[in-house]
Amino acid sequence: MKDRISFDQLLEEIKAQRHFWIRLGAVLIDDTWVIQIFDAVGGSQQQNWEKRSWEYPEAIFSSLSINGSKLAEAIREGIINSGEKRIKFPFSESLDKKQDNLIQTIEVWSKIPHGFYEPLDWPCVWYELPRTSDTTTKDYYQGIQHLVMSECPSFLNFKAAACSFFNLTKENNITELPTTIRLEGQIGRIDHVTVHPTRIVAKVERKVSTELVLELNGNRPGPSQLFKNKGKSEVIKLSIASGLPDDPFLILKDNKKIIDLRYLNPKLPYKTAPDVVVAVPTTSAIESLIATGESETVEFKEFIPTGKNERKKVCRILAAFANGQGGNLLFGVNDDGKPVGLKATDDKEKPVLEKINESKLKDQVADWIKSCITPYIKFDIEIARLEGNYDILLIKVKKGDSPPYGIPYNDEKDCKYDYCIRRMATTFTATPSDIREICLMQNK
């Protein structure tokens, strides 16, 4: 959209809005009340807006709600009424209100801070009205000190009162009090985004029944999904199995323009909305486990076992985790804690994922775990690529709720089981007293 619009174009935009929620702060200059700070939001009532008025001998703060036609008329005349007071807008007397390219406009996405005011729940167009260049009235508020009245809160100066009334940021960061109109978008928004290691879950809402598309983007195009249900909201899931692009962001768009946007990079907090949650990536979790080293709940294995006896040895460790507090087994990490990538015991040279895809590898590992340990343990399998292109497979075992868990000594129907426990970073065969303690702990 245009960076600037004419004064008359702005008034037409204001007229089209049903309601405006206004907050203003004004000072008394030579018997005339003059606005020093002003914010009008067209659209839904904001959470922090409430009808109230603070009146002091030299300053007034007021909130009011009027329709778009009345606000447009007030701005055209340069006067707005608050109760019995007529308050003047800080426009220059020589301002040519017919002049094109006069009012600056900025698109602001939902829930993303911009300027001093609190962010809006819906995308908006921000219009900053021009201020007078008359040094007599410009920044006159700086001379207003000690605002005290019996029925109003007290403040040391006008700026401190403005910060409280408008819910602004710390007053020391405010260099100039703005005069703004904010018009909420009437189409849709992105809401409550969660970034998981393999998918993005986002709630999309809209005010009108039109087809919208949610799209992941960044330094390369990502997946997208059409939002065409007649309802007003929908939860959309986008797969990111191949990872997030650099500098990722979500856009909600129609067939003409971007409606809303969410930055997904937590390293840019000034751009990231508070409803964006980035779950701990699998790579970060794995790197943390590797850095911790082997312990009672962490075990490294350099190769994925392919033989039956080799798999039984691994399952002893997993059963021991389930008999204890749970644990993590990482394939692709050697005994020194160095990532080496996924390779199998029957081919220690060629990476496993060059012969089989991730999904099939996970299924194969899950199958031999389930066939080897009795009763079934609860576990998750994740694969991640670390820096250096090292693929790591992580088996996360949960604490068992039906111990003890064991490995059969042979394939006979009534064979005995090898029950295992962990002590420090070593797996041991459990003694009868160990098994009894495991069962007793379960019953507590």
Side-chain angles (χ1 to χ4, degrees):
M1 65 175 298
K2 295 181 180 179
D3 292 331
R4 292 178 180 273
I5 63 174
S6 70
F7 192 84
D8 283 342
Q9 286 175 318
L10 173 60
L11 295 185
E12 291 302 315
E13 294 283 352
I14 292 173
K15 287 180 183 179
Q17 293 286 331
R18 180 177 298 179
H19 291 293
F20 274 89
W21 311 91
I22 298 172
R23 294 173 298 180
L24 64 85
V27 295
L28 188 61
I29 305 175
D30 296 332
D31 298 325
T32 300
W33 289 100
V34 180
I35 289 174
Q36 300 290 291
I37 180 171
F38 180 91
D39 180 43
V41 176
S44 56
Q45 180 177 343
Q46 300 308 298
Q47 183 177 359
N48 292 327
W49 188 94
E50 60 177 306
K51 187 171 180 59
R52 57 182 174 171
S53 180
W54 299 345
E55 296 189 17
Y56 306 92
E58 295 182 283
I60 182 174
F61 295 90
S62 181
S63 56
L64 57 149
S65 175
I66 62 176
N67 62 44
S69 295
K70 287 186 177 180
L71 178 58
E73 181 182 354
I75 293 176
R76 182 180 293 279
E77 294 180 355
I79 297 289
I80 188 169
N81 295 320
S82 176
E84 297 180 355
K85 291 182 171 59
R86 288 170 54 82
I87 304 176
K88 182 180 177 181
F89 280 97
F91 302 140
S92 170
E93 298 298 335
S94 60
L95 179 65
D96 181 3
K97 297 177 182 178
K98 298 289 185 181
Q99 180 182 345
D100 290 338
N101 303 323
L102 182 65
I103 309 298
Q104 182 179 359
T105 69
I106 303 172
E107 285 189 341
V108 181
W109 313 120
S110 66
K111 299 186 179 181
I112 295 179
H114 175 79
F116 302 124
Y117 299 125
E118 69 271 30
L120 301 182
D121 290 335
W122 290 83
C124 74
V125 180
W126 176 301
Y127 303 89
E128 185 146 344
L129 301 180
R131 297 175 60 85
T132 180
S133 58
D134 183 355
T135 56
T136 304
T137 58
K138 184 180 180 182
D139 301 335
Y140 186 89
Y141 69 88
Q142 294 186 9
I144 304 297
Q145 304 289 324
H146 298 176
L147 279 68
V148 180
M149 285 295 289
S150 59
E151 297 181 356
C152 302
S154 301
F155 299 95
L156 295 179
N157 52 58
F158 183 93
K159 188 183 287 187
C163 287
S164 177
F165 193 84
F166 284 78
N167 299 303
L168 299 182
T169 54
K170 292 181 180 179
E171 64 176 286
N172 290 338
N173 295 331
I174 299 176
T175 56
E176 182 175 338
L177 299 179
T179 303
T180 57
I181 306 289
R182 295 188 285 171
L183 304 184
E184 281 191 333
Q186 300 297 309
I187 300 177
R189 68 172 178 170
I190 301 170
D191 191 22
H192 297 299
V193 179
T194 304
V195 183
H196 298 278
T198 59
R199 71 187 187 282
I200 294 173
V201 180
K203 183 181 178 183
V204 175
E205 296 185 11
R206 61 184 173 187
K207 291 185 177 180
V208 296
S209 296
T210 185
E211 289 190 354
L212 302 176
V213 174
L214 184 69
E215 176 185 323
L216 173 65
N217 218 310
N219 69 329
R220 55 180 169 83
S224 62
Q225 185 172 326
L226 181 67
F227 173 29
K228 59 181 180 180
N229 290 347
K230 294 182 179 180
K232 293 184 178 180
S233 66
E234 181 176 332
V235 175
I236 294 177
K237 298 179 182 179
L238 300 177
S239 173
I240 52 171
S242 58
L244 282 171
D246 293 336
D247 301 320
F249 58 89
L250 283 176
I251 60 173
L252 183 67
K253 63 181 183 180
D254 60 13
N255 60 353
K256 295 181 180 179
K257 65 176 184 177
I258 295 176
I259 305 301
D260 201 7
L261 184 147
R262 280 291 182 279
Y263 294 100
L264 305 181
N265 189 345
K267 294 181 181 179
L268 303 175
Y270 61 95
K271 287 186 175 181
T272 305
D275 63 350
V276 174
V277 177
V278 179
V280 177
T282 302
T283 53
S284 298
I286 288 176
E287 288 169 349
S288 178
L289 290 171
I290 293 173
T292 301
E294 291 186 308
S295 66
E296 189 170 315
T297 58
V298 178
E299 178 82 14
F300 301 150
K301 289 295 178 185
E302 187 169 352
F303 302 105
I304 295 178
T306 53
K308 186 175 181 179
N309 289 333
E310 294 168 338
R311 289 174 174 175
K312 276 192 171 184
K313 290 179 181 178
V314 169
C315 285
R316 292 182 78 249
I317 300 170
L318 303 178
F321 285 154
N323 285 329
Q325 300 301 313
N328 304 273
L329 192 148
L330 295 91
F331 288 113
V333 183
N334 65 22
D335 290 339
D336 295 327
K338 179 181 178 181
V340 294
L342 285 177
K343 297 176 182 177
T345 53
D346 62 351
D347 186 352
K348 297 183 179 181
E349 300 299 326
K350 190 172 184 179
V352 173
L353 293 179
E354 290 185 9
K355 300 180 290 184
I356 184 174
N357 64 39
E358 287 189 14
S359 179
K360 288 185 177 180
L361 178 59
K362 289 180 180 180
D363 289 343
Q364 284 186 2
V365 173
D367 287 343
W368 56 255
I369 292 175
K370 292 176 181 177
S371 67
C372 192
I373 302 175
T374 302
Y376 288 161
I377 63 171
K378 295 179 180 179
F379 63 95
D380 295 310
I381 300 176
E382 299 175 2
I383 296 176
R385 176 163 292 182
L386 304 187
E387 185 177 352
N389 291 328
Y390 294 118
D391 292 313
I392 306 297
L393 185 146
L394 168 64
I395 303 175
K396 300 169 64 176
V397 179
K398 298 179 181 179
K399 178 182 178 180
D401 52 15
S402 301
Y405 298 89
I407 315 298
Y409 281 110
N410 53 55
D411 294 332
E412 295 179 7
K413 185 177 181 180
D414 298 326
C415 73
K416 294 182 179 180
Y417 286 83
D418 180 16
Y419 298 105
C420 303
I421 60 171
R422 293 280 289 184
R423 290 197 180 99
M424 302 297 289
T426 305
T427 301
F428 294 92
T429 295
T431 65
S433 61
D434 290 329
I435 297 173
R436 188 163 47 252
E437 183 177 349
I438 292 171
C439 295
L440 289 173
M441 290 298 294
Q442 172 63 26
N443 294 329
K444 286 185 177 181

